[in-house]
Amino acid sequence: MSAPQLYVTFPGTAREALSFYAEIFGGELSLYTFEDFSRTDGPSDAIAHGVLSGVVSLSGSDAATGDKTVRMEGAMLSLLGAAEPDVLHHWFDKLADGGRILDPLSPKPWGASDGQVVDRHGLHWLIGYEPAA
């Protein structure tokens, strides 16, 4: 791994959330249940470890009994310049489905285009790009 990667503890929705991100970003999704890891601190079908590997990589699990779950405050996942503008707009729209747009992905006074969205699973995204040269 060459950079930090976000690891999210979901409130029993890891399978749904990581599958949602795989549908948006593509990549390879691997999911392992509590049963797979012989864990008894949650439901046997809960996700003990999940990894989305690709152009956007995320990892996560379902919360074990007593664990805290995801709550984004004062942080965003930045996808600035991570793909071509049309792809970034597509990702933004997909993340906004069932989520909340905080700032539309649009041209800004400083010349770049960006926007912010909190998706249906509670992750806060900053997506944008510089104008074509």
Side-chain angles (χ1 to χ4, degrees), residues 2 4 34 48 57 62 65 67-68 76 90 93 127:
S2 62
F34 277 43
S57 296
D62 286 317
T65 303
D67 284 352
K68 294 193 182 297
M76 293 179 269
H90 176 75
D93 293 343
I127 299 176

Side-chain angles (χ1 to χ4, degrees), residues 84-108:
E84 293 297 318
D86 59 329
V87 172
L88 292 168
H89 279 275
H90 176 75
W91 290 351
F92 188 92
D93 293 343
K94 291 292 192 181
L95 290 166
D97 184 16
R100 182 170 43 107
I101 295 174
L102 304 177
D103 181 26
L105 176 51
S106 61
K108 301 301 187 227

